[in-house]
């Protein structure tokens, strides 16, 4: 089942939506954010559409046709972009969402992890199945790889390589935003559920050297906007875990 959502309806996490679950005799109200989480729990990736467009009907039909053939065709092809082109693709998408990338003023250059950033990210894979994950936790979190492997139901996790092949990335920070360029959907996002409860997240969108904190290109993005952007890829549903339990 393909899920199509009106992007205006989902534009704010606090939007109130009314549904008739079973019959017209009873209604229920949920927020846009709660609806996103409900769909994610079913491991589906919703598509946001502008139904005010003149060609909206044609777009819906096209999506329906794609859904009908989903079992018969592979995921979207991988991008064939240079590092700089892939970086610009992320910036362009963020700009389209009204989010500007910027450089931080007077960053602390003596720390290992950049001060003020919301996330710390690990690109890992299961040693046995080779399944890949991009794990995004809070900046102050240290991940126990053995415990994480158990939570994900895999045998053993180790750091992954192949960022160039997976999302056209050759240097600098790898963050959850880079999954926007994993159009082939080979990487499963794993995120600390506490991050999704935050009002806003400060995330590096790309840089030349992850240890040089003077040149991070960052954005401040709402979790629901991040979720919507990632939903545009053909990747697996986001896995939410509580890393506070580690």
């Amino acid at each position: 089942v393909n899920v199509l959502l009106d992007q205006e309806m989902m534009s704010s996490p606090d939007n109130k939506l009314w549904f008739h679950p079973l019959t017209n005799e009873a209604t229920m109200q949920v927020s846009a954010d709660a609806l996103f989480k409900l769909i994610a729990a079913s491991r589906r990736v919703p598509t946001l559409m502008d139904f005010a467009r003149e060609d909206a009907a044609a777009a819906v039909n096209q999506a329906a046709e794609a859904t009908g053939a989903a079992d018969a065709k592979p995921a979207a092809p991988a991008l064939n972009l240079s590092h700089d082109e892939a970086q610009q693709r992320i910036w362009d998408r963020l700009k389209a969402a009204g989010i500007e990338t910027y450089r931080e003023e007077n960053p602390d250059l003596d720390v290992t992890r950049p001060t003020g950033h919301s996330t710390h990210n690990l690109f890992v894979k299961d040693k046995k199945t080779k399944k890949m994950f991009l794990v995004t936790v809070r900046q102050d979190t240290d991940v126990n790889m053995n415990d994480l492997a158990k939570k994900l139901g895999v045998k053993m996790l180790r750091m992954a390589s192949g960022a160039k092949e997976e999302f056209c990335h050759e240097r600098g920070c790898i963050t959850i935003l880079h999954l926007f360029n994993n159009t082939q959907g080979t990487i499963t996002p794993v995120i600390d559920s506490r991050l999704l409860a935050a009002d806003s997240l400060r995330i590096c969108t790309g840089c030349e050297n992850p240890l040089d904190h003077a040149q991070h290109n960052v954005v401040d993005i709402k979790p629901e906007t991040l979720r919507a952007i990632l939903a545009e890829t053909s990747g697996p549903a986001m896995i939410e875990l509580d890393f506070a339990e580690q």
Side-chain angles (χ1 to χ4, degrees):
V1 177
N2 195 36
V3 181
L4 306 180
L5 299 175
D6 189 318
Q7 66 182 26
E8 181 177 359
M9 178 181 76
M10 307 299 292
S11 60
S12 169
D14 297 324
N15 281 355
K16 301 302 181 183
L17 312 174
W18 290 91
F19 291 89
H20 298 290
L22 298 175
T23 72
N24 288 337
E25 297 177 1
T27 60
M28 62 180 288
Q29 183 191 71
V30 298
S31 66
D33 183 60
L35 181 59
F36 262 129
K37 291 179 179 178
L38 179 63
I39 295 171
S42 70
R43 303 192 66 80
R44 291 179 172 84
V45 179
T47 299
L48 297 181
M49 296 189 62
D50 181 4
F51 285 95
R53 289 168 35 193
E54 293 182 358
D55 62 342
V60 171
N61 290 335
Q62 187 176 39
E65 291 173 2
T67 302
D71 295 335
K73 71 176 184 179
L79 296 174
N80 182 21
L81 301 176
S82 68
H83 175 88
D84 290 341
E85 289 171 335
Q87 182 68 83
Q88 189 63 51
R89 184 174 186 268
I90 294 174
W91 290 342
D92 288 345
R93 179 62 186 87
L94 290 167
K95 187 174 182 178
I99 302 171
E100 294 294 333
T101 304
Y102 66 95
R103 289 280 179 94
E104 297 163 295
E105 295 184 6
N106 302 316
D108 188 343
L109 305 181
D110 298 323
V111 293
T112 302
R113 299 182 185 181
T115 301
H117 290 209
S118 302
T119 68
H120 179 63
N121 302 270
L122 299 172
F123 181 33
V124 299
K125 69 177 179 180
D126 177 25
K127 183 177 180 180
K128 181 177 181 180
T129 66
K130 311 304 181 186
K131 183 176 181 179
M132 294 176 287
F133 304 87
L134 185 62
V135 182
T136 300
V137 297
R138 298 203 317 183
Q139 184 71 282
D140 59 357
T141 300
D142 292 318
V143 177
N144 183 307
M145 297 285 268
N146 290 331
D147 288 347
L148 179 57
K150 292 177 182 178
K151 289 182 177 180
L152 295 176
V154 300
K155 185 174 181 60
M156 181 183 296
L157 290 173
R158 63 182 181 183
M159 300 306 293
S161 58
K164 177 175 173 55
E165 293 75 20
E166 298 305 329
F167 28 68
C168 307
H169 184 86
E170 297 180 21
R171 56 189 180 274
C173 292
I174 296 175
T175 70
I176 191 170
L177 284 168
H178 288 88
L179 289 180
F180 181 63
N181 285 336
N182 182 240
T183 53
Q184 66 273 39
T186 53
I187 301 173
T188 299
V190 179
I191 191 167
D192 190 327
S193 57
R194 295 173 296 172
L195 289 170
L196 296 175
D199 292 331
S200 180
L201 302 173
R202 179 167 296 178
I203 303 175
C204 180
T205 65
C207 58
E208 294 299 308
N209 180 355
L211 298 180
D212 180 2
H213 302 324
Q215 44 79 73
H216 293 294
N217 298 295
V218 301
V219 292
D220 297 314
I221 185 171
K222 292 183 179 298
E224 60 270 17
T225 304
L226 173 65
R227 191 194 294 272
I229 289 175
L230 296 185
E232 296 172 10
T233 72
S234 60
M238 182 183 293
I239 297 175
E240 300 177 26
L241 296 177
D242 184 0
F243 284 86
E245 298 177 353
Q246 287 205 156

